[in-house]
Amino acid sequence: MKGNGGIRCFQVLLIIGNVVIGLAGLALTAECIYFVSDQNQLYPLLNATNNVDIFAAAWIGIFTGFAFFLLSILGIIGVIKSSRRLLMAYIILMFIVYCFEAASAIVAATQRDFFTRNLFLREMLEYYQNTNPSNNDQQSKINGVTDVWNRLMLTKNCCGVNGPLDWQNYTSEFRRTHSDAEYPWPQQCCVMNGNGEPLNLALCRLGAPGYLKLQGCYDEIAGPLMRHAYGVAWFGFAILCFAFFVLLATMFYWMRIEC
Amino acid sequence: MGAGRYLLAALLALLHYDLARGVAPLLCSSTICAINPTLNTIILEKPYCFYTSSSPVTVALYVARNSAESNKLELTNTYYTTDRGRSAPYVAATFKNPVCAGDPTTADIGEYVYRVGDNENCFNLKFCNGPLLNNTAYRFLYAFYDTSNVLLYQSSWSAPITTKQGKNPSSIDTWPGARSGGMIVLTSILSVLMFLLLAGLVAAVITSLMTQTKELEPTRHESRSTHVPQKSEGAAPSLSGSERYSTNPQP
């Protein structure tokens, strides 16, 4: 470097950049932990459709976020000491973590597209209260999906994916074991009183507004998943864009350390 | 011919009873019954103000498939004897003629409508209101009888109403189809950035190797002149060590 002031200025910029990367990495870890902890307990729905890659993306996000934090410390030390070896290790490790995080962001962005109404609709029809599992694995998936749906319909005031008509427009495992006369839709679709009993079962069967929940659950399912996956994808993307410039600058600095 | 006969009967009824109207059973309004018909049931409005009389009157609801072989009304026909309405209309239920007094409120929806196909277990009942068939057209008729089962009046047959047919869930296509723009942008930008980083890494290593081999001597001098003075005396071995570090990448 020519002037000492120029070096100092560049060093300070790199250190600030690394501090930002480290803190953003911690935030990414926190966000991914939140996603993985699955506050809305929707994992069984994704598990039954073999669409759990988004959770893989979040797990990778936890790792890369924390790795960014640790590596930024390494980078700061390397910049302060102007050590070529430390900085080389920093750059290479950063590049590896960069690749992981890019994979995580891309998977999260891609998986978001898969959360269609039809995905959850078909799964609900084929798994909800299925009494005819082909193996133990399917049995556990059926139990998971049934529990989630019962909870969703009871607590979120919704019925089916698009509404109670889902149980009428399609044949289903539920329909195979429950007659249309008694259960045009699951009893969880009825508006409940304080004791968790239907307000009026007969009127619920008639589909009278006020006694039957007419709106679908899709927003309750896809809403949280989409929002969180959005964060995993785009927050990761933002960190990567920033880290790109810091890494380029670090390479430049590394080339000039001893020249 | 049959329609003409019913029209005649209706006219006769009109002649005899001023308050009777020539009407047919109606589907329950969609504001009250949001999902109607279903797979095996059809919800009808009860015959409000179809026929008014001061003496007690019983209403019989006749149900027949659209393709029924006969339209003859028999109070003794049941769900089972007519093969679920295939051979002739059957009596699904009898109830008291509802009182014609203004518009019924939504509070008594259950009184206001009748759900055909509601009863699954009616082995011992006189009239069975058993489930209807999927995807089958049905017609309905209200007939009014006095206490000695004499037909006083009958409405006209309703238009055919078809029950629902459930589609197979395996016909649902779960593939998302088109990709979202955000996903494409994110993927392509990240791919480019990764490529640029890799290129930068390689370029940095190569250029630094080349410059080091070229400017090996001045580099060493400079680094020595900046670091050495403080520890020129005491730390000869460490000095040679740092010297080795700086020349390390040379081969």
Side-chain angles (χ1 to χ4, degrees):
Chain A
M1 285 274 169
K2 276 171 258 166
N4 210 17
I7 294 175
R8 278 273 166 265
C9 185
F10 206 70
Q11 277 184 331
V12 168
L13 272 182
L14 280 183
I15 288 170
I16 291 175
N18 272 304
V19 168
V20 171
I21 289 180
L23 294 183
L26 278 187
L28 181 68
T29 304
E31 184 185 359
C32 289
I33 288 175
Y34 180 73
F35 184 87
V36 165
S37 68
D38 195 14
Q39 296 295 308
N40 296 283
Q41 295 169 8
L42 297 170
Y43 180 81
L45 290 187
L46 298 185
N47 185 32
T49 55
N50 298 319
N51 253 316
V52 289
D53 292 356
I54 193 137
F55 278 86
W59 279 107
I60 296 175
I62 294 178
F63 160 72
T64 54
F66 200 64
F68 273 138
F69 173 67
L70 295 180
L71 285 179
S72 69
I73 295 175
L74 177 70
I76 291 170
I77 295 173
V79 168
I80 290 174
K81 284 193 160 180
S82 291
S83 157
R84 278 177 73 87
R85 303 186 95 202
L86 264 186
L87 281 180
M88 197 64 212
Y90 166 79
I91 291 171
I92 291 175
L93 287 176
M94 270 302 249
F95 183 72
I96 293 170
V97 174
Y98 195 96
C99 294
F100 273 91
E101 176 50 30
S104 161
I106 291 173
V107 168
T110 311
Q111 284 293 307
R112 282 184 77 230
D113 292 356
F114 278 94
F115 298 151
T116 59
R117 285 175 182 271
N118 281 348
L119 177 78
F120 296 114
L121 175 60
R122 181 168 172 181
E123 175 198 65
M124 176 185 81
L125 297 171
E126 288 177 347
Y127 281 86
Y128 183 73
Q129 294 201 4
N130 187 337
T131 52
N132 201 8
S134 57
N135 54 43
N136 280 343
D137 179 48
Q138 213 197 359
Q139 177 67 61
S140 67
K141 285 178 177 175
I142 289 167
N143 291 344
V145 170
T146 305
D147 288 349
V148 171
W149 270 107
N150 282 340
R151 187 171 47 76
L152 277 178
M153 294 197 287
L154 278 177
T155 61
K156 305 286 184 187
N157 277 326
C158 56
C159 177
V161 173
N162 306 299
L165 260 179
D166 287 348
W167 303 103
Q168 292 291 331
N169 287 342
Y170 295 94
T171 56
S172 56
E173 286 299 323
F174 175 78
R175 179 65 55 231
R176 212 167 49 75
T177 51
H178 294 74
S179 76
D180 182 49
E182 291 283 330
Y183 295 95
W185 27 81
Q187 203 164 308
Q188 282 81 2
C189 289
C190 299
V191 175
M192 302 290 178
N193 63 17
N195 296 332
E197 296 157 346
L199 221 50
N200 184 328
L201 198 54
L203 290 185
C204 175
R205 283 182 194 144
L206 289 181
Y211 297 93
L212 172 67
K213 302 161 184 168
L214 290 172
Q215 69 277 37
C217 294
Y218 177 71
D219 291 342
E220 304 293 341
I221 302 169
L225 284 176
M226 290 280 208
R227 267 200 309 281
H228 300 160
Y230 193 83
V232 172
W234 288 98
F235 185 49
F237 175 74
I239 295 176
L240 289 181
C241 286
F242 184 77
F244 171 75
F245 293 108
V246 175
L247 274 182
L248 275 194
T250 313
M251 286 173 194
F252 183 72
Y253 181 73
W254 180 81
M255 278 168 30
R256 296 301 171 112
I257 282 179
E258 287 180 325
C259 298
Chain B
M1 277 307 281
R5 207 171 67 219
Y6 295 127
L7 196 64
L8 193 66
L11 276 175
L12 276 174
L14 271 174
L15 280 177
H16 281 154
Y17 310 101
D18 271 351
L19 294 166
R21 305 181 198 163
V23 281
L26 286 174
L27 268 180
C28 172
S29 143
S30 61
T31 55
I32 296 167
C33 309
I35 296 163
N36 185 29
T38 67
L39 292 163
N40 304 125
T41 68
I42 292 173
I43 306 170
L44 298 174
E45 288 183 9
K46 279 188 179 174
Y48 273 88
C49 305
F50 275 34
Y51 177 85
T52 46
S53 155
S54 50
S55 55
V57 173
T58 310
V59 185
L61 168 59
Y62 283 92
V63 180
R65 290 192 212 174
N66 197 29
S67 56
E69 292 156 5
S70 142
N71 273 339
K72 200 167 185 306
L73 304 182
E74 293 279 359
L75 260 179
T76 50
N77 280 351
T78 68
Y79 184 71
Y80 294 110
T81 57
T82 60
D83 186 18
R84 302 171 163 210
R86 188 182 58 79
S87 60
Y90 67 89
V91 180
T94 59
F95 42 82
K96 268 168 52 184
N97 190 16
V99 180
C100 176
D103 286 335
T105 58
T106 46
D108 42 32
I109 304 166
E111 292 297 306
Y112 171 61
V113 298
Y114 190 80
R115 188 166 182 239
V116 183
D118 190 46
N119 198 342
E120 275 192 298
N121 323 298
C122 47
F123 300 111
N124 295 320
L125 297 177
K126 188 177 170 201
F127 300 115
C128 177
N129 180 22
L132 307 176
L133 297 172
N134 286 342
N135 196 21
T136 310
Y138 284 90
R139 287 174 301 141
F140 305 92
L141 180 146
Y142 285 122
F144 299 78
Y145 295 91
D146 66 9
T147 42
S148 50
N149 282 347
V150 174
L151 179 63
L152 300 171
Y153 168 68
Q154 65 186 43
S155 71
S156 47
W157 282 99
S158 71
I161 301 166
T162 309
T163 50
K164 270 190 186 296
Q165 169 70 48
K167 281 175 278 185
N168 193 335
S170 58
S171 67
I172 300 173
D173 181 19
T174 59
W175 189 247
R179 292 293 176 181
S180 64
M183 174 260 170
I184 294 168
V185 168
L186 185 142
T187 307
S188 47
I189 290 182
L190 281 187
S191 311
V192 171
L193 289 191
M194 277 213 295
F195 172 76
L196 289 181
L197 263 192
L198 188 60
L201 185 61
V202 171
V205 171
I206 289 175
T207 51
S208 82
L209 283 181
M210 284 170 68
T211 50
Q212 269 183 2
T213 47
K214 244 188 264 171
E215 305 167 4
L216 188 58
E217 297 305 309
T219 306
R220 256 203 276 175
H221 282 301
E222 245 179 71
S223 62
R224 218 184 275 166
S225 64
T226 50
H227 290 293
V228 162
Q230 294 99 317
K231 36 185 175 176
S232 57
E233 239 93 75
S238 73
L239 173 68
S240 68
S242 73
E243 201 175 338
R244 234 184 284 137
Y245 279 147
S246 63
T247 53
N248 220 9
Q250 185 188 356

